[in-house]
């Protein structure tokens, strides 16, 4: 006999096989933060038109990916943004280039204390500052890459 609990009667467990040839395992046991974000992105993409959630937050959606995969994730985020407000924390220019509004979050030490500073950022300037461009001086290659991503 099933007992009614405060959270309901049913128990649901998502099973996942993240790699070909592996058996299904509980999502809660095997998925990293990045994988969870990408699974949430896939689920929200499927449910986008019928969901009542207005804002979706993705942290670490870029964990362990890059290149063409990052572009696909960026495209999925952009299409999801047609139905929801998306807040995405990313370090990849391929994903950031798909957004409309950008902020830079930095830690600074002031008067012996660490403070977090959030600044609005122009997209072109922001893309040049992402990984691969962490030099003090922004190079012409960084500017060219930012232009390519935005075209």
């Amino acid at each position: 006999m099933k007992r009614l609990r405060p959270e309901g009667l049913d128990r649901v467990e998502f099973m996942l096989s993240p790699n070909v040839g592996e058996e299904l395992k509980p999502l809660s046991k095997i998925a990293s933060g990045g994988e969870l974000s990408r699974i949430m992105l896939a689920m929200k993409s499927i449910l986008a038109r019928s969901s009542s959630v207005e804002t979706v937050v993705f942290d670490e959606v870029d964990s362990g990916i890059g290149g063409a995969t990052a572009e696909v994730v960026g495209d999925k985020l952009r299409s999801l943004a047609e139905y929801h407000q998306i807040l995405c924390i990313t370090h990849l220019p391929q994903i950031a280039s798909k957004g409309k509004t950008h902020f830079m979050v930095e830690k600074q030490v002031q008067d012996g204390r660490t403070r977090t500073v959030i600044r609005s950022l122009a997209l072109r300037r922001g893309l040049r500052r992402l990984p691969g461009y962490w030099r003090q001086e922004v190079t012409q290659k960084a500017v060219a890459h930012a232009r390519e991503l935005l075209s």
Side-chain angles (χ1 to χ4, degrees), residues 5-6 17 38 85 110 115 120:
R5 300 175 314 276
S17 174
R38 289 187 290 279
Q85 175 180 312
Q110 298 172 347
R115 301 190 189 284
S120 180

Side-chain angles (χ1 to χ4, degrees), residues 91-120:
H91 298 276
L92 295 179
Q94 296 94 328
I95 293 175
S97 67
K98 309 297 181 178
K100 290 185 178 178
T101 306
H102 297 82
F103 298 92
M104 177 171 280
V105 180
E106 294 180 292
K107 287 186 179 181
Q108 298 177 350
V109 177
Q110 298 172 347
D111 301 322
R113 298 220 35 215
T114 303
R115 301 190 189 284
T116 303
V117 177
I118 301 173
R119 293 184 289 144
S120 180

Side-chain angles (χ1 to χ4, degrees), residues 43-106:
M43 292 174 77
K44 288 305 295 179
S45 295
I46 293 166
L47 300 171
R49 293 183 182 167
S50 62
S51 178
S52 62
V53 175
E54 294 181 17
T55 302
V56 184
V57 179
F58 292 98
D59 186 11
E60 297 186 31
V61 73
D62 58 5
S63 178
I65 64 169
T69 302
E71 280 208 49
V72 170
V73 168
D75 288 339
K76 293 288 184 192
L77 286 165
R78 177 184 275 172
S79 66
L80 189 57
E82 293 177 24
Y83 304 97
H84 306 280
Q85 175 180 312
I86 304 297
L87 176 59
C88 179
I89 300 160
T90 186
H91 298 276
L92 295 179
Q94 296 94 328
I95 293 175
S97 67
K98 309 297 181 178
K100 290 185 178 178
T101 306
H102 297 82
F103 298 92
M104 177 171 280
V105 180
E106 294 180 292

Side-chain angles (χ1 to χ4, degrees), residues 120-132:
S120 180
L121 202 57
L123 179 57
R124 289 181 192 276
R125 183 168 166 252
L127 287 178
R128 296 187 309 231
R129 299 270 324 235
L130 288 170

Side-chain angles (χ1 to χ4, degrees), residues 7-32:
E7 57 278 342
L9 184 63
D10 298 320
R11 289 181 188 229
V12 176
E13 184 169 46
F14 287 97
M15 304 293 279
L16 175 70
S17 174
N19 299 302
V20 175
E22 291 187 27
E23 60 186 69
L24 290 171
K25 296 178 184 168
L27 176 66
S28 61
K29 303 266 193 249
I30 65 167
S32 68

